[in-house]
mmCIF file of all heavy atoms in Angstrom:
data_model
loop_
_atom_site.group_PDB
_atom_site.id
_atom_site.type_symbol
_atom_site.label_atom_id
_atom_site.label_comp_id
_atom_site.label_asym_id
_atom_site.label_seq_id
_atom_site.Cartn_x
_atom_site.Cartn_y
_atom_site.Cartn_z
ATOM 1 N N VAL A 26 0.847 -1.186 0.000
ATOM 2 C CA VAL A 26 0.000 0.000 0.000
ATOM 3 C C VAL A 26 0.884 1.237 0.000
ATOM 4 O O VAL A 26 1.696 1.434 0.903
ATOM 5 C CB VAL A 26 -0.929 -0.005 1.230
ATOM 6 C CG1 VAL A 26 -1.720 1.290 1.308
ATOM 7 C CG2 VAL A 26 -1.876 -1.193 1.161
ATOM 8 N N ASP A 27 0.719 2.061 -1.026
ATOM 9 C CA ASP A 27 1.476 3.299 -1.124
ATOM 10 C C ASP A 27 0.647 4.457 -0.588
ATOM 11 O O ASP A 27 1.156 5.367 0.030
ATOM 12 C CB ASP A 27 1.853 3.558 -2.581
ATOM 13 C CG ASP A 27 2.713 4.799 -2.741
ATOM 14 O OD1 ASP A 27 3.581 5.015 -1.883
ATOM 15 O OD2 ASP A 27 2.521 5.537 -3.716
ATOM 16 N N GLU A 28 -0.642 4.437 -0.824
ATOM 17 C CA GLU A 28 -1.519 5.510 -0.391
ATOM 18 C C GLU A 28 -2.846 4.906 0.021
ATOM 19 O O GLU A 28 -3.418 4.089 -0.691
ATOM 20 C CB GLU A 28 -1.731 6.505 -1.534
ATOM 21 C CG GLU A 28 -2.682 7.637 -1.207
ATOM 22 C CD GLU A 28 -2.911 8.548 -2.408
ATOM 23 O OE1 GLU A 28 -1.937 8.797 -3.143
ATOM 24 O OE2 GLU A 28 -4.052 8.967 -2.610
ATOM 25 N N LEU A 29 -3.317 5.271 1.189
ATOM 26 C CA LEU A 29 -4.584 4.760 1.694
ATOM 27 C C LEU A 29 -5.449 5.943 2.072
ATOM 28 O O LEU A 29 -5.056 6.798 2.858
ATOM 29 C CB LEU A 29 -4.353 3.860 2.915
ATOM 30 C CG LEU A 29 -5.588 3.391 3.678
ATOM 31 C CD1 LEU A 29 -6.449 2.497 2.801
ATOM 32 C CD2 LEU A 29 -5.181 2.647 4.941
ATOM 33 N N GLU A 30 -6.622 6.025 1.492
ATOM 34 C CA GLU A 30 -7.521 7.137 1.770
ATOM 35 C C GLU A 30 -8.888 6.590 2.132
ATOM 36 O O GLU A 30 -9.442 5.733 1.442
ATOM 37 C CB GLU A 30 -7.635 8.038 0.538
ATOM 38 C CG GLU A 30 -8.584 9.207 0.716
ATOM 39 C CD GLU A 30 -8.686 10.045 -0.553
ATOM 40 O OE1 GLU A 30 -7.713 10.061 -1.326
ATOM 41 O OE2 GLU A 30 -9.738 10.657 -0.751
ATOM 42 N N ILE A 31 -9.445 7.062 3.237
ATOM 43 C CA ILE A 31 -10.784 6.671 3.652
ATOM 44 C C ILE A 31 -11.678 7.903 3.547
ATOM 45 O O ILE A 31 -11.427 8.920 4.180
ATOM 46 C CB ILE A 31 -10.794 6.127 5.093
ATOM 47 C CG1 ILE A 31 -9.865 4.915 5.214
ATOM 48 C CG2 ILE A 31 -12.206 5.758 5.518
ATOM 49 C CD1 ILE A 31 -9.782 4.339 6.604
ATOM 50 N N THR A 32 -12.699 7.819 2.722
ATOM 51 C CA THR A 32 -13.623 8.930 2.513
ATOM 52 C C THR A 32 -14.954 8.606 3.165
ATOM 53 O O THR A 32 -15.504 7.523 2.961
ATOM 54 C CB THR A 32 -13.827 9.193 1.012
ATOM 55 O OG1 THR A 32 -12.553 9.439 0.414
ATOM 56 C CG2 THR A 32 -14.730 10.394 0.796
ATOM 57 N N THR A 33 -15.473 9.541 3.930
ATOM 58 C CA THR A 33 -16.731 9.339 4.648
ATOM 59 C C THR A 33 -17.820 10.206 4.026
ATOM 60 O O THR A 33 -17.607 11.372 3.703
ATOM 61 C CB THR A 33 -16.566 9.697 6.132
ATOM 62 O OG1 THR A 33 -15.476 8.948 6.675
ATOM 63 C CG2 THR A 33 -17.824 9.384 6.913
ATOM 64 N N ASP A 34 -18.999 9.622 3.833
ATOM 65 C CA ASP A 34 -20.145 10.388 3.389
ATOM 66 C C ASP A 34 -21.369 9.935 4.177
ATOM 67 O O ASP A 34 -21.260 9.160 5.127
ATOM 68 C CB ASP A 34 -20.365 10.265 1.873
ATOM 69 C CG ASP A 34 -20.527 8.816 1.429
ATOM 70 O OD1 ASP A 34 -20.986 7.989 2.254
ATOM 71 O OD2 ASP A 34 -20.209 8.508 0.277
ATOM 72 N N PHE A 35 -22.549 10.388 3.787
ATOM 73 C CA PHE A 35 -23.741 10.088 4.581
ATOM 74 C C PHE A 35 -24.122 8.617 4.536
ATOM 75 O O PHE A 35 -24.859 8.130 5.379
ATOM 76 C CB PHE A 35 -24.922 10.955 4.118
ATOM 77 C CG PHE A 35 -25.346 10.699 2.695
ATOM 78 C CD1 PHE A 35 -26.290 9.735 2.393
ATOM 79 C CD2 PHE A 35 -24.788 11.437 1.653
ATOM 80 C CE1 PHE A 35 -26.670 9.502 1.080
ATOM 81 C CE2 PHE A 35 -25.161 11.200 0.337
ATOM 82 C CZ PHE A 35 -26.103 10.237 0.056
ATOM 83 N N ASP A 36 -23.606 7.874 3.555
ATOM 84 C CA ASP A 36 -23.901 6.443 3.463
ATOM 85 C C ASP A 36 -22.893 5.587 4.229
ATOM 86 O O ASP A 36 -23.022 4.373 4.296
ATOM 87 C CB ASP A 36 -23.886 5.992 1.994
ATOM 88 C CG ASP A 36 -25.129 6.451 1.260
ATOM 89 O OD1 ASP A 36 -26.157 6.607 1.931
ATOM 90 O OD2 ASP A 36 -25.049 6.676 0.049
ATOM 91 N N GLY A 37 -21.849 6.186 4.777
ATOM 92 C CA GLY A 37 -20.815 5.413 5.449
ATOM 93 C C GLY A 37 -19.451 5.870 4.973
ATOM 94 O O GLY A 37 -19.167 7.057 4.933
ATOM 95 N N ALA A 38 -18.605 4.945 4.586
ATOM 96 C CA ALA A 38 -17.260 5.302 4.140
ATOM 97 C C ALA A 38 -16.808 4.337 3.060
ATOM 98 O O ALA A 38 -17.323 3.232 2.939
ATOM 99 C CB ALA A 38 -16.286 5.269 5.318
ATOM 100 N N TYR A 39 -15.871 4.768 2.236
ATOM 101 C CA TYR A 39 -15.280 3.864 1.270
ATOM 102 C C TYR A 39 -13.777 4.090 1.232
ATOM 103 O O TYR A 39 -13.272 5.127 1.650
ATOM 104 C CB TYR A 39 -15.894 4.004 -0.116
ATOM 105 C CG TYR A 39 -15.706 5.338 -0.774
ATOM 106 C CD1 TYR A 39 -14.594 5.601 -1.552
ATOM 107 C CD2 TYR A 39 -16.674 6.335 -0.644
ATOM 108 C CE1 TYR A 39 -14.421 6.825 -2.169
ATOM 109 C CE2 TYR A 39 -16.513 7.568 -1.258
ATOM 110 C CZ TYR A 39 -15.392 7.798 -2.014
ATOM 111 O OH TYR A 39 -15.228 9.015 -2.618
ATOM 112 N N ILE A 40 -13.068 3.085 0.733
ATOM 113 C CA ILE A 40 -11.608 3.100 0.767
ATOM 114 C C ILE A 40 -11.051 3.347 -0.619
ATOM 115 O O ILE A 40 -11.553 2.817 -1.598
ATOM 116 C CB ILE A 40 -11.063 1.736 1.259
ATOM 117 C CG1 ILE A 40 -11.785 1.277 2.518
ATOM 118 C CG2 ILE A 40 -9.568 1.803 1.502
ATOM 119 C CD1 ILE A 40 -11.436 -0.144 2.898
ATOM 120 N N ARG A 41 -9.987 4.132 -0.683
ATOM 121 C CA ARG A 41 -9.203 4.271 -1.906
ATOM 122 C C ARG A 41 -7.785 3.855 -1.573
ATOM 123 O O ARG A 41 -7.168 4.401 -0.647
ATOM 124 C CB ARG A 41 -9.212 5.707 -2.416
ATOM 125 C CG ARG A 41 -8.344 5.933 -3.647
ATOM 126 C CD ARG A 41 -8.396 7.394 -4.065
ATOM 127 N NE ARG A 41 -7.578 7.646 -5.222
ATOM 128 C CZ ARG A 41 -6.288 7.971 -5.179
ATOM 129 N NH1 ARG A 41 -5.687 8.059 -4.018
ATOM 130 N NH2 ARG A 41 -5.614 8.200 -6.282
ATOM 131 N N ILE A 42 -7.259 2.875 -2.304
ATOM 132 C CA ILE A 42 -5.933 2.341 -2.024
ATOM 133 C C ILE A 42 -5.057 2.480 -3.261
ATOM 134 O O ILE A 42 -5.479 2.181 -4.369
ATOM 135 C CB ILE A 42 -6.009 0.858 -1.600
ATOM 136 C CG1 ILE A 42 -6.701 0.733 -0.238
ATOM 137 C CG2 ILE A 42 -4.622 0.235 -1.528
ATOM 138 C CD1 ILE A 42 -6.874 -0.686 0.231
ATOM 139 N N GLN A 43 -3.832 2.967 -3.054
ATOM 140 C CA GLN A 43 -2.864 3.092 -4.144
ATOM 141 C C GLN A 43 -1.799 2.011 -3.981
ATOM 142 O O GLN A 43 -1.106 1.969 -2.958
ATOM 143 C CB GLN A 43 -2.197 4.468 -4.083
ATOM 144 C CG GLN A 43 -1.221 4.743 -5.196
ATOM 145 C CD GLN A 43 -1.926 4.873 -6.517
ATOM 146 O OE1 GLN A 43 -2.844 5.663 -6.659
ATOM 147 N NE2 GLN A 43 -1.521 4.086 -7.479
ATOM 148 N N PRO A 44 -1.652 1.097 -4.952
ATOM 149 C CA PRO A 44 -0.662 0.030 -4.807
ATOM 150 C C PRO A 44 0.730 0.467 -5.244
ATOM 151 O O PRO A 44 0.896 1.445 -5.962
ATOM 152 C CB PRO A 44 -1.190 -1.051 -5.749
ATOM 153 C CG PRO A 44 -1.830 -0.251 -6.848
ATOM 154 C CD PRO A 44 -2.421 0.983 -6.191
ATOM 155 N N LYS A 45 1.729 -0.273 -4.809
ATOM 156 C CA LYS A 45 3.090 -0.063 -5.302
ATOM 157 C C LYS A 45 3.825 -1.395 -5.232
ATOM 158 O O LYS A 45 3.358 -2.361 -4.646
ATOM 159 C CB LYS A 45 3.827 0.998 -4.492
ATOM 160 C CG LYS A 45 4.183 0.598 -3.077
ATOM 161 C CD LYS A 45 5.025 1.668 -2.418
ATOM 162 C CE LYS A 45 5.320 1.341 -0.963
ATOM 163 N NZ LYS A 45 6.098 2.388 -0.293
ATOM 164 N N VAL A 46 4.985 -1.430 -5.834
ATOM 165 C CA VAL A 46 5.805 -2.639 -5.863
ATOM 166 C C VAL A 46 7.144 -2.297 -5.232
ATOM 167 O O VAL A 46 7.774 -1.306 -5.596
ATOM 168 C CB VAL A 46 6.015 -3.126 -7.311
ATOM 169 C CG1 VAL A 46 6.791 -4.424 -7.339
ATOM 170 C CG2 VAL A 46 4.671 -3.304 -8.009
ATOM 171 N N VAL A 47 7.589 -3.101 -4.265
ATOM 172 C CA VAL A 47 8.817 -2.773 -3.552
ATOM 173 C C VAL A 47 9.773 -3.950 -3.545
ATOM 174 O O VAL A 47 9.391 -5.096 -3.753
ATOM 175 C CB VAL A 47 8.534 -2.339 -2.091
ATOM 176 C CG1 VAL A 47 7.650 -1.115 -2.058
ATOM 177 C CG2 VAL A 47 7.889 -3.471 -1.300
ATOM 178 N N ASP A 48 11.031 -3.653 -3.285
ATOM 179 C CA ASP A 48 12.081 -4.667 -3.250
ATOM 180 C C ASP A 48 12.256 -5.175 -1.825
ATOM 181 O O ASP A 48 11.754 -4.586 -0.871
ATOM 182 C CB ASP A 48 13.396 -4.041 -3.747
ATOM 183 C CG ASP A 48 14.392 -5.104 -4.168
ATOM 184 O OD1 ASP A 48 14.051 -6.292 -4.126
ATOM 185 O OD2 ASP A 48 15.510 -4.720 -4.537
ATOM 186 N N ALA A 49 12.983 -6.262 -1.689
ATOM 187 C CA ALA A 49 13.223 -6.856 -0.385
ATOM 188 C C ALA A 49 13.901 -5.859 0.550
ATOM 189 O O ALA A 49 14.800 -5.121 0.148
ATOM 190 C CB ALA A 49 14.085 -8.099 -0.537
ATOM 191 N N GLY A 50 13.487 -5.860 1.814
ATOM 192 C CA GLY A 50 14.092 -4.989 2.813
ATOM 193 C C GLY A 50 13.515 -3.599 2.876
ATOM 194 O O GLY A 50 13.876 -2.803 3.748
ATOM 195 N N HIS A 51 12.586 -3.272 1.970
ATOM 196 C CA HIS A 51 12.033 -1.919 1.925
ATOM 197 C C HIS A 51 11.308 -1.576 3.220
ATOM 198 O O HIS A 51 11.464 -0.483 3.765
ATOM 199 C CB HIS A 51 11.076 -1.797 0.737
ATOM 200 C CG HIS A 51 10.241 -0.550 0.760
ATOM 201 N ND1 HIS A 51 10.709 0.659 0.308
ATOM 202 C CD2 HIS A 51 8.977 -0.320 1.208
ATOM 203 C CE1 HIS A 51 9.768 1.570 0.459
ATOM 204 N NE2 HIS A 51 8.718 1.002 0.999
ATOM 205 N N HIS A 52 10.506 -2.512 3.723
ATOM 206 C CA HIS A 52 9.664 -2.215 4.885
ATOM 207 C C HIS A 52 10.484 -1.987 6.142
ATOM 208 O O HIS A 52 10.216 -1.053 6.908
ATOM 209 C CB HIS A 52 8.665 -3.353 5.101
ATOM 210 C CG HIS A 52 7.808 -3.616 3.911
ATOM 211 N ND1 HIS A 52 8.140 -4.570 2.962
ATOM 212 C CD2 HIS A 52 6.659 -3.054 3.495
ATOM 213 C CE1 HIS A 52 7.216 -4.571 2.024
ATOM 214 N NE2 HIS A 52 6.309 -3.660 2.324
ATOM 215 N N SER A 53 11.478 -2.835 6.372
ATOM 216 C CA SER A 53 12.290 -2.661 7.575
ATOM 217 C C SER A 53 13.065 -1.347 7.523
ATOM 218 O O SER A 53 13.222 -0.668 8.543
ATOM 219 C CB SER A 53 13.236 -3.854 7.754
ATOM 220 O OG SER A 53 14.035 -4.046 6.605
ATOM 221 N N ARG A 54 13.524 -0.959 6.317
ATOM 222 C CA ARG A 54 14.238 0.317 6.199
ATOM 223 C C ARG A 54 13.302 1.493 6.454
ATOM 224 O O ARG A 54 13.663 2.452 7.131
ATOM 225 C CB ARG A 54 14.870 0.434 4.805
ATOM 226 C CG ARG A 54 16.035 -0.515 4.565
ATOM 227 C CD ARG A 54 16.805 -0.124 3.304
ATOM 228 N NE ARG A 54 15.973 -0.194 2.114
ATOM 229 C CZ ARG A 54 15.829 -1.276 1.358
ATOM 230 N NH1 ARG A 54 16.455 -2.395 1.686
ATOM 231 N NH2 ARG A 54 15.080 -1.259 0.275
ATOM 232 N N ARG A 55 12.095 1.421 5.915
ATOM 233 C CA ARG A 55 11.152 2.531 6.108
ATOM 234 C C ARG A 55 10.740 2.647 7.572
ATOM 235 O O ARG A 55 10.672 3.750 8.130
ATOM 236 C CB ARG A 55 9.915 2.308 5.229
ATOM 237 C CG ARG A 55 8.888 3.438 5.377
ATOM 238 C CD ARG A 55 7.607 3.160 4.631
ATOM 239 N NE ARG A 55 6.589 4.138 4.974
ATOM 240 C CZ ARG A 55 5.296 3.903 5.007
ATOM 241 N NH1 ARG A 55 4.842 2.698 4.698
ATOM 242 N NH2 ARG A 55 4.441 4.837 5.342
ATOM 243 N N LEU A 56 10.465 1.518 8.222
ATOM 244 C CA LEU A 56 10.061 1.557 9.630
ATOM 245 C C LEU A 56 11.188 2.090 10.498
ATOM 246 O O LEU A 56 10.959 2.876 11.430
ATOM 247 C CB LEU A 56 9.632 0.172 10.096
ATOM 248 C CG LEU A 56 8.998 0.125 11.489
ATOM 249 C CD1 LEU A 56 7.628 0.789 11.471
ATOM 250 C CD2 LEU A 56 8.867 -1.314 11.977
ATOM 251 N N MET A 57 12.418 1.665 10.223
ATOM 252 C CA MET A 57 13.566 2.171 10.969
ATOM 253 C C MET A 57 13.682 3.682 10.819
ATOM 254 O O MET A 57 13.912 4.413 11.789
ATOM 255 C CB MET A 57 14.838 1.476 10.484
ATOM 256 C CG MET A 57 16.129 2.087 11.014
ATOM 257 S SD MET A 57 16.363 1.885 12.780
ATOM 258 C CE MET A 57 17.168 0.280 12.789
ATOM 259 N N ARG A 58 13.509 4.175 9.603
ATOM 260 C CA ARG A 58 13.619 5.621 9.358
ATOM 261 C C ARG A 58 12.545 6.404 10.097
ATOM 262 O O ARG A 58 12.800 7.474 10.644
ATOM 263 C CB ARG A 58 13.516 5.888 7.848
ATOM 264 C CG ARG A 58 13.511 7.369 7.474
ATOM 265 C CD ARG A 58 13.491 7.551 5.968
ATOM 266 N NE ARG A 58 12.328 6.942 5.353
ATOM 267 C CZ ARG A 58 11.130 7.523 5.287
ATOM 268 N NH1 ARG A 58 10.946 8.720 5.840
ATOM 269 N NH2 ARG A 58 10.126 6.925 4.690
ATOM 270 N N LEU A 59 11.333 5.859 10.152
ATOM 271 C CA LEU A 59 10.206 6.590 10.741
ATOM 272 C C LEU A 59 10.128 6.466 12.253
ATOM 273 O O LEU A 59 9.724 7.413 12.936
ATOM 274 C CB LEU A 59 8.896 6.094 10.124
ATOM 275 C CG LEU A 59 8.647 6.446 8.660
ATOM 276 C CD1 LEU A 59 7.378 5.769 8.168
ATOM 277 C CD2 LEU A 59 8.539 7.965 8.482
ATOM 278 N N THR A 60 10.486 5.300 12.784
ATOM 279 C CA THR A 60 10.238 5.049 14.204
ATOM 280 C C THR A 60 11.471 4.639 15.002
ATOM 281 O O THR A 60 11.428 4.643 16.232
ATOM 282 C CB THR A 60 9.198 3.930 14.367
ATOM 283 O OG1 THR A 60 9.755 2.694 13.893
ATOM 284 C CG2 THR A 60 7.938 4.238 13.583
ATOM 285 N N GLY A 61 12.545 4.237 14.324
ATOM 286 C CA GLY A 61 13.704 3.722 15.024
ATOM 287 C C GLY A 61 13.595 2.265 15.400
ATOM 288 O O GLY A 61 14.532 1.690 15.961
ATOM 289 N N LEU A 62 12.451 1.616 15.078
ATOM 290 C CA LEU A 62 12.263 0.207 15.396
ATOM 291 C C LEU A 62 13.046 -0.646 14.398
ATOM 292 O O LEU A 62 12.890 -0.489 13.180
ATOM 293 C CB LEU A 62 10.779 -0.171 15.348
ATOM 294 C CG LEU A 62 9.878 0.498 16.392
ATOM 295 C CD1 LEU A 62 8.414 0.150 16.130
ATOM 296 C CD2 LEU A 62 10.283 0.084 17.798
ATOM 297 N N ASP A 63 13.853 -1.544 14.889
ATOM 298 C CA ASP A 63 14.671 -2.415 14.054
ATOM 299 C C ASP A 63 14.087 -3.819 14.122
ATOM 300 O O ASP A 63 14.328 -4.560 15.081
ATOM 301 C CB ASP A 63 16.119 -2.405 14.556
ATOM 302 C CG ASP A 63 17.054 -3.187 13.639
ATOM 303 O OD1 ASP A 63 16.606 -3.619 12.562
ATOM 304 O OD2 ASP A 63 18.226 -3.358 14.015
ATOM 305 N N VAL A 64 13.283 -4.183 13.123
ATOM 306 C CA VAL A 64 12.562 -5.454 13.149
ATOM 307 C C VAL A 64 12.743 -6.181 11.822
ATOM 308 O O VAL A 64 13.299 -5.642 10.872
ATOM 309 C CB VAL A 64 11.052 -5.232 13.436
ATOM 310 C CG1 VAL A 64 10.856 -4.461 14.734
ATOM 311 C CG2 VAL A 64 10.372 -4.490 12.276
ATOM 312 N N GLU A 65 12.236 -7.407 11.767
ATOM 313 C CA GLU A 65 12.325 -8.192 10.542
ATOM 314 C C GLU A 65 11.350 -7.665 9.487
ATOM 315 O O GLU A 65 10.412 -6.917 9.781
ATOM 316 C CB GLU A 65 12.027 -9.659 10.843
ATOM 317 C CG GLU A 65 13.018 -10.309 11.794
ATOM 318 C CD GLU A 65 14.418 -10.351 11.243
ATOM 319 O OE1 GLU A 65 14.562 -10.441 10.000
ATOM 320 O OE2 GLU A 65 15.377 -10.282 12.041
ATOM 321 N N GLU A 66 11.558 -8.093 8.242
ATOM 322 C CA GLU A 66 10.801 -7.547 7.109
ATOM 323 C C GLU A 66 9.300 -7.793 7.234
ATOM 324 O O GLU A 66 8.491 -6.884 7.029
ATOM 325 C CB GLU A 66 11.346 -8.144 5.811
ATOM 326 C CG GLU A 66 10.685 -7.603 4.545
ATOM 327 C CD GLU A 66 11.009 -6.145 4.247
ATOM 328 O OE1 GLU A 66 11.792 -5.527 5.006
ATOM 329 O OE2 GLU A 66 10.467 -5.625 3.270
ATOM 330 N N ASN A 67 8.880 -9.027 7.542
ATOM 331 C CA ASN A 67 7.446 -9.304 7.651
ATOM 332 C C ASN A 67 6.811 -8.552 8.805
ATOM 333 O O ASN A 67 5.677 -8.082 8.720
ATOM 334 C CB ASN A 67 7.207 -10.808 7.813
ATOM 335 C CG ASN A 67 7.426 -11.567 6.531
ATOM 336 O OD1 ASN A 67 7.307 -11.004 5.436
ATOM 337 N ND2 ASN A 67 7.764 -12.843 6.634
ATOM 338 N N GLN A 68 7.551 -8.424 9.916
ATOM 339 C CA GLN A 68 7.050 -7.650 11.047
ATOM 340 C C GLN A 68 6.897 -6.182 10.645
ATOM 341 O O GLN A 68 5.894 -5.539 10.963
ATOM 342 C CB GLN A 68 8.013 -7.762 12.230
ATOM 343 C CG GLN A 68 8.105 -9.146 12.833
ATOM 344 C CD GLN A 68 9.249 -9.257 13.831
ATOM 345 O OE1 GLN A 68 10.193 -8.457 13.810
ATOM 346 N NE2 GLN A 68 9.181 -10.248 14.701
ATOM 347 N N ALA A 69 7.907 -5.668 9.936
ATOM 348 C CA ALA A 69 7.866 -4.263 9.523
ATOM 349 C C ALA A 69 6.685 -3.998 8.598
ATOM 350 O O ALA A 69 6.005 -2.974 8.716
ATOM 351 C CB ALA A 69 9.173 -3.885 8.830
ATOM 352 N N ARG A 70 6.421 -4.916 7.685
ATOM 353 C CA ARG A 70 5.278 -4.741 6.776
ATOM 354 C C ARG A 70 3.983 -4.635 7.576
ATOM 355 O O ARG A 70 3.149 -3.774 7.317
ATOM 356 C CB ARG A 70 5.188 -5.920 5.816
ATOM 357 C CG ARG A 70 3.954 -5.860 4.920
ATOM 358 C CD ARG A 70 3.708 -7.168 4.191
ATOM 359 N NE ARG A 70 4.698 -7.361 3.151
ATOM 360 C CZ ARG A 70 4.410 -7.868 1.952
ATOM 361 N NH1 ARG A 70 3.181 -8.218 1.658
ATOM 362 N NH2 ARG A 70 5.349 -8.048 1.058
ATOM 363 N N ARG A 71 3.841 -5.508 8.567
ATOM 364 C CA ARG A 71 2.610 -5.514 9.361
ATOM 365 C C ARG A 71 2.465 -4.241 10.173
ATOM 366 O O ARG A 71 1.386 -3.656 10.255
ATOM 367 C CB ARG A 71 2.628 -6.741 10.291
ATOM 368 C CG ARG A 71 1.322 -6.939 11.035
ATOM 369 C CD ARG A 71 0.206 -7.293 10.042
ATOM 370 N NE ARG A 71 -1.083 -7.317 10.694
ATOM 371 C CZ ARG A 71 -1.848 -6.249 10.895
ATOM 372 N NH1 ARG A 71 -1.426 -5.068 10.498
ATOM 373 N NH2 ARG A 71 -3.022 -6.357 11.471
ATOM 374 N N LEU A 72 3.549 -3.787 10.777
ATOM 375 C CA LEU A 72 3.503 -2.562 11.573
ATOM 376 C C LEU A 72 3.232 -1.343 10.702
ATOM 377 O O LEU A 72 2.485 -0.436 11.088
ATOM 378 C CB LEU A 72 4.817 -2.391 12.351
ATOM 379 C CG LEU A 72 4.870 -3.008 13.752
ATOM 380 C CD1 LEU A 72 4.595 -4.501 13.717
ATOM 381 C CD2 LEU A 72 6.230 -2.737 14.412
#
């Protein structure tokens, strides 16, 4: 997920999701940069 947008109206809400393609290790590097958490790749993706 590159971009996630939730729009609310009188009927409820709907989701807009922007996909992307990433290489191995991307998630752990991004999480480390944002939070300082040093975790494994699958854990980083989930967080």
Side-chain angles (χ1 to χ4, degrees):
V26 175
D27 183 39
E28 177 183 321
L29 172 64
E30 178 182 333
I31 301 178
T32 303
T33 305
D34 57 28
F35 63 89
D36 285 332
Y39 63 89
I40 312 171
R41 177 181 180 271
I42 292 178
Q43 183 68 54
K45 70 174 176 182
V46 184
V47 300
D48 199 3
H51 168 82
H52 303 94
S53 55
R54 290 193 298 270
R55 180 186 171 212
L56 188 70
M57 170 67 87
R58 176 177 60 83
L59 291 175
T60 67
L62 295 174
D63 186 7
V64 304
E65 297 297 329
E66 183 69 2
N67 286 335
Q68 293 170 339
R70 175 193 288 220
R71 187 66 187 85
L72 270 58

